[in-house]
């Protein structure tokens, strides 16, 4: 490789134009029709993500976790694909019910519930509930004969960006006591569940949790085990590449092969399905030179669509819509949100070509835990959602 080729390759790696995978003309058309900021939900990408995960987990029933992104069009698309749904609140029950989802297609996985939330789910027809402690089991005494309980076990993971087993799940030592308490009061325990954490960068903890759960089931062989729920954790690439989903799931499937054949396996993907399905389109509305860096002020920030940077520990790829020369000049820059709060900064120490007020930027992989946690601080409205079938350029490797 000659010197110029090396320079060009280094420039491409340093300043990648990830928007080349999108149909820029389609994005420009959307910008002409819709005022920024707005999100773009790509239903073709919903198909791709769901089918990719199902192919990597053959035989596993997928229950989409609504909390990551609960847009009705996403839910309707997943319903047509045969997906089922993981619910945690009465609001989520009402949403899926309004879209024609049936209660038997759902599981209620929040380990802590009010009695009226149990009643609402039962009225909907959802009879499978997750519990993880003694007090929660007591809440189901009045519903003996109407419900099936799945006990959540805690498996902590250092490889997960968001550790969900810190807040929920019983220990393996407590498990037999919880099962005995439930059975002794006429309740049927039918399964175990766990969630090793969101955006897990390695399948190791999930594999160990599967094997530990299988061992526990074998010890408590008097229980009529029906289900093992392996939670979510399936990662997506933000700034850094992660394992391809087929590679991530291969050891998971190997561990699941040790499970007795009659036990069904559930999974609760949220991020993996929703994150890549949405981008955000924003405008530069202000520009100022502050010290050695240029500050660009956008019309959305961490109180809006970029809220996942605070609540979800995510860092989204963002780039200008207009093509740029990776060999051209780049400058130390800051991307700030529109609110009056100094915490509202989307990116610091980012190198960008010179931008002007009115220029468009696009944030990628912004479906998961963005709109879900967005606010209207300073009375800035949340970005609207534009639903499309495909924004990827068919002449590129879109996925």
């Amino acid at each position: 490789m000659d010197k110029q080729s090396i320079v060009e390759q280094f420039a491409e790696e340093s300043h990648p134009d990830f928007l080349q995978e999108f149909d820029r003309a389609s994005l420009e058309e959307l910008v002409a029709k819709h005022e920024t900021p707005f999100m773009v939900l790509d239903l073709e990408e919903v198909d791709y993500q769901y089918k990719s995960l199902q192919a990597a987990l053959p035989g596993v029933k997928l229950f989409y976790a609504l909390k990551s992104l609960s847009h009705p069009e996403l839910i309707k698309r997943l319903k047509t694909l045969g997906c089922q749904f993981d619910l945690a609140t009465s609001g989520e029950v009402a949403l899926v019910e309004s879209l024609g989802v049936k209660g038997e297609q759902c599981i209620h996985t929040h380990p802590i519930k009010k009695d009226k939330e149990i009643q609402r789910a039962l009225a909907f027809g959802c009879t499978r509930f997750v519990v993880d402690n003694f007090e929660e089991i007591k809440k189901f005494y009045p519903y003996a004969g109407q419900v099936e309980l799945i006990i959540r076990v805690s498996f902590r993971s250092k490889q997960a960006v968001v550790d969900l087993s810190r807040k929920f799940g019983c220990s393996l030592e407590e498990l037999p006591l919880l099962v005995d308490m439930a059975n002794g009061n006429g309740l049927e325990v039918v399964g175990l569940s766990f969630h090793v954490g969101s955006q897990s960068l390695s399948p190791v903890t999930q594999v160990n949790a599967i094997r530990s759960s299988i061992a526990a089931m074998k010890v408590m062989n008097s229980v009529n085990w029906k289900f093992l729920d392996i939670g979510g954790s399936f990662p997506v690439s933000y700034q850094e590449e992660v394992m391809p989903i087929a590679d991530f799931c291969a050891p998971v499937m190997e561990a699941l092969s040790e499970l007795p054949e009659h036990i069904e396996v559930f999974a609760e993907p949220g991020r993996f399905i929703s994150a890549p399905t949405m981008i955000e389109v924003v405008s530069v509305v202000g520009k100022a030179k502050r010290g050695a860096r240029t500050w660009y002020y956008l019309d959305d920030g961490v109180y809006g669509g970029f809220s996942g940077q605070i609540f979800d520990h995510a860092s989204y790829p963002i780039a200008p819509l207009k093509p740029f020369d990776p060999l051209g000049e780049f400058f130390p820059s800051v991307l700030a949100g529109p609110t009056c709060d100094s915490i509202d900064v989307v990116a610091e120490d980012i190198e960008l070509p010179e931008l002007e007020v009115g220029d468009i930027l696009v944030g990628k992989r912004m479906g998961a835990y963005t709109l879900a946690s967005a606010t209207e601080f300073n009375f800035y409205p949340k970005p609207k959602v534009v639903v499309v079938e495909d924004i990827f350029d068919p002449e590129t490797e879109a996925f």
Side-chain angles (χ1 to χ4, degrees):
M1 182 181 292
D2 60 35
K3 182 177 180 181
Q4 180 62 22
S5 297
I6 293 172
V7 170
E8 290 178 1
Q9 179 180 333
F10 177 78
E12 289 284 1
E13 290 173 352
S14 301
H15 304 291
D17 180 10
F18 70 72
L19 293 185
Q20 64 187 303
E21 72 184 39
F22 293 99
D23 182 347
R24 265 195 166 92
S26 295
L27 285 175
E28 289 166 355
E29 200 173 298
L30 289 172
V31 169
K33 290 180 179 178
H34 303 281
E35 182 180 357
T36 60
F38 61 89
M39 316 285 279
V40 183
L41 172 61
D42 185 348
L43 296 179
E44 289 281 344
E45 186 75 348
V46 176
D47 293 357
Y48 181 84
Q49 290 300 114
Y50 177 81
K51 291 175 182 177
S52 295
L53 185 57
Q54 190 66 88
L57 294 172
V60 176
K61 285 188 177 179
L62 303 183
F63 289 76
Y64 174 67
L66 259 71
K67 62 181 177 291
S68 66
L69 178 63
S70 57
H71 194 280
E73 293 302 320
L74 171 68
I75 296 167
K76 288 192 285 187
R77 189 57 160 253
L78 288 172
K79 180 174 177 285
T80 65
L81 291 168
C83 187
Q84 302 188 61
F85 297 92
D86 160 20
L87 310 176
T89 67
S90 294
E92 291 178 351
V93 169
L95 175 59
V96 297
E97 185 177 41
S98 72
L99 298 173
V101 176
K102 303 300 181 185
E104 58 266 26
Q105 297 172 301
C106 303
I107 52 176
H108 198 295
T109 62
H110 199 315
I112 310 296
K113 296 165 286 296
K114 294 181 178 180
D115 182 66
K116 70 177 183 179
E117 292 173 320
I118 298 172
Q119 292 183 34
R120 179 67 180 90
L122 285 173
F124 170 53
C126 178
T127 59
R128 292 170 293 190
F129 294 85
V130 169
V131 297
D132 72 352
N133 65 79
F134 297 103
E135 291 300 318
E136 202 66 17
I137 288 174
K138 291 177 185 177
K139 295 177 186 177
F140 286 92
Y141 287 174
Y143 307 106
Q146 301 177 56
V147 299
E148 293 182 320
L149 298 184
I150 298 171
I151 299 180
R152 179 164 170 168
V153 183
S154 172
F155 294 99
R156 302 293 298 272
S157 174
K158 293 181 180 179
Q159 288 81 33
V161 175
V162 183
D163 179 7
L164 296 175
S165 285
R166 173 176 175 267
K167 187 174 181 181
F168 299 115
C170 70
S171 66
L172 284 169
E173 291 74 21
E174 285 180 301
L175 180 58
L177 301 176
L178 291 171
V179 171
D180 289 344
M181 179 182 181
N183 290 342
N185 287 279
L187 294 166
E188 185 181 11
V189 175
V190 295
L192 297 180
S193 77
F194 59 82
H195 199 310
V196 300
S198 187
Q199 185 70 356
S200 185
L201 303 180
S202 165
V204 170
T205 304
Q206 198 168 29
V207 167
N208 291 339
I210 290 168
R211 293 200 163 112
S212 295
S213 297
I214 292 172
M217 286 177 165
K218 288 179 179 178
V219 169
M220 293 179 284
N221 54 18
S222 61
V223 178
N224 181 24
W225 299 111
K226 298 179 183 179
F227 311 118
L228 175 62
D229 183 345
I230 64 173
S233 83
F234 311 105
V236 297
S237 298
Y238 288 109
Q239 299 286 0
E240 304 292 337
E241 289 297 315
V242 297
M243 293 176 68
I245 193 61
D247 294 343
F248 185 94
C249 291
V252 172
M253 289 303 301
E254 183 180 352
L256 288 173
S257 68
E258 302 167 19
L259 196 66
E261 288 186 6
H262 72 278
I263 296 177
E264 287 190 274
V265 182
F266 299 163
E268 305 168 15
R271 180 193 312 279
F272 183 83
I273 290 175
S274 63
T277 66
M278 189 175 282
I279 62 172
E280 182 169 13
V281 182
V282 296
S283 296
V284 176
V285 297
K287 175 180 176 180
K289 187 76 172 178
R290 303 193 185 282
R293 298 182 294 176
T294 302
W295 283 63
Y296 297 103
Y297 297 87
L298 311 178
D299 51 7
D300 195 28
V302 300
Y303 283 94
F306 289 90
S307 61
Q309 292 193 185
I310 293 178
F311 294 107
D312 191 42
H313 314 290
S315 180
Y316 308 104
I318 188 167
L321 176 57
K322 64 183 181 184
F324 59 84
D325 180 3
L327 293 174
E329 196 169 5
F330 286 75
F331 306 93
S333 307
V334 177
L335 297 177
T339 70
C340 297
D341 193 347
S342 61
I343 198 176
D344 191 4
V345 174
V346 172
E348 291 199 60
D349 299 321
I350 183 173
E351 289 198 346
L352 291 169
E354 184 77 15
L355 302 177
E356 302 299 335
V357 171
D359 280 352
I360 302 296
L361 291 98
V362 179
K364 187 182 177 187
R365 298 191 182 278
M366 291 190 61
Y369 307 104
T370 51
L371 282 179
S373 55
T375 74
E376 293 188 344
F377 179 65
N378 260 172
F379 278 79
Y380 282 105
K382 298 177 185 181
K384 70 178 180 180
V385 177
V386 177
V387 181
V388 301
E389 277 293 332
D390 190 10
I391 53 172
F392 288 96
D393 186 339
E395 296 182 0
T396 67
E397 289 291 331
F399 303 108

